[in-house]
Amino acid sequence: MAKPVSVFLTIFMLLLAAPYQSAFAAMIGTETVLDVARGQGARDYLNRVLAREDVQAELIAHGIDPLEAKARVDSLSDAEVVCLARQIEQLPAGGGAFGVLVGAAVVVFIVLLVTDIAGYTDVFPFVKSRDDRQKK
Amino acid sequence: MIARRNSSGSEFERRRCGICLTGPVILLLIVNLMLGGCGVLHRQWPQPDEHLPARHELDSVPFYSQKAFQCGPAALAMALRWSGISADTNTLAPEVFTPSRKGSLQLAMIGAARRHGRIAYPVFGPDAMLEEVSAGHPVIVLQNLGLSWHPVWHYAVVIGYDLNQGDVILHSGVTRRKRLSLRVFENTWARSDHWGLLVLPPTRLPATVTEHAYVSAVLGLEKASQWRGAVKGYCTALARWPDNLYARIGLGNSYYALGDKESAEAAFREATRRSPTNGSAFNNLAQVLWEQGKQQDALEAARMAVKLGGPLVNVYRKTLEEIQAGKP
């Protein structure tokens, strides 16, 4: 009968495969390497935008501490940061190329982001306000 | 209104196509032209210049007539056949066709091309499409032959164009070498945001290629477990962009998945040489060295990964610990 043989073979192959599976866990996939780089790139981009004098001046004019704005951006996850950076880049004012005058649109965007987090507004679906966080 | 999609195409809608609706479609198109003022081209089509010949037609794209609603499998079969893969509409239908929607999703088309070891590379807009055709690459296009509020989605394959006559030439539905005026084509194609798809052998770069988009497209082959295709694709990418770290790591990972640890080691070693600040390249190098019994070299690479740190440093530490524990 073939059955016991096939059962034995299955178990044997599982035993063979097991160490390789655990070994594979330590290999870092191409996609992970790409995602990490993308997250870091988006974070760098947002920090550069926030560090700009005109953006900071505009934030202060709206009564927002630039350090507080940065702290709030820092607390976003990689996925959220990538989403935010992409949205800023797609703004009509055209801030994709750093160094181009991004203009008031980015500032309005960041103001809305910050006020979203503070719970005054609810524009961006990925932002959880402080109140929402406390509820959890 | 047609649902908007972002340029990366992440939110794909369901598409359908209806070959049996030719009559109503023509009627709808006439109504559309009368209603919407669509007789005017929405955009300027490119003019011929030294890079873009005025007319070009590919004669190497086979034609498959479609059955009802099966424009997706038919278009894909034509593109795959052109790229050297023997595929026909019947075998492709289960891979892309969604019976309940009587159509094929764009993502399913992309996924099926990858499962056959081909690079699926989206292209957007008339300029890119014409450039690809003039470079000898057929382009699958998604058209809405109906109206925005009464869509009749349809896949066709652009095999040529004639800018002097103002025509594109398509393998479409049951018609081989269908000539369609740029104006009508533009009106029907604009409703998919000018979505087009290249299906290429992994040894061939798109004419309008960009580095990141191509490497991402090769990564798609990895996701489909098409490791040999991925190896070829990454090699193609590295021939053009030798310093692309992700292609280098992807090459190593694909060799590793094929069980070719020596080639994987070489790829990772080159990655660490060209990008000496990336911990992941050192981590993967350490792992593949260790599995080949080269413990001392593996330890060095793993220590380097941990030293470089980064968001994945915990994985690097685990690799180092396992190597230090010394059980290859």
Side-chain angles (χ1 to χ4, degrees), chain A residues 20 22-34 36-38 40 78 86 90, chain B residues 212 219 222-223 234 246 249-250 253 256 261 268 280 283-284 287 291 311-312 316 319:
Chain A
Y20 290 99
S22 65
F24 205 84
M27 292 292 279
I28 292 167
T30 319
E31 193 171 26
T32 310
V33 180
L34 259 175
V36 164
R38 194 175 298 154
Q40 278 183 330
D78 272 5
R86 192 186 298 148
Q90 285 176 354
Chain B
H212 182 76
L219 177 60
E222 268 199 70
K223 302 311 273 179
Y234 285 129
Y246 314 109
I249 288 182
N253 284 344
Y256 182 83
K261 289 181 185 168
F268 292 135
S280 296
N283 176 83
N284 287 12
Q287 181 68 30
E291 286 177 33
L312 298 171
Y316 310 159
T319 308

Side-chain angles (χ1 to χ4, degrees), chain A residues 9 14 21 28 37 42 60-61 63 85 89 108-109 115 123 129 132-133:
Chain A
L9 267 180
L14 278 175
Q21 276 172 358
I28 292 167
I60 290 166
E89 281 174 340
V108 170
F109 191 90
T115 51
V123 179
S129 73
D132 285 345
R133 284 182 192 195

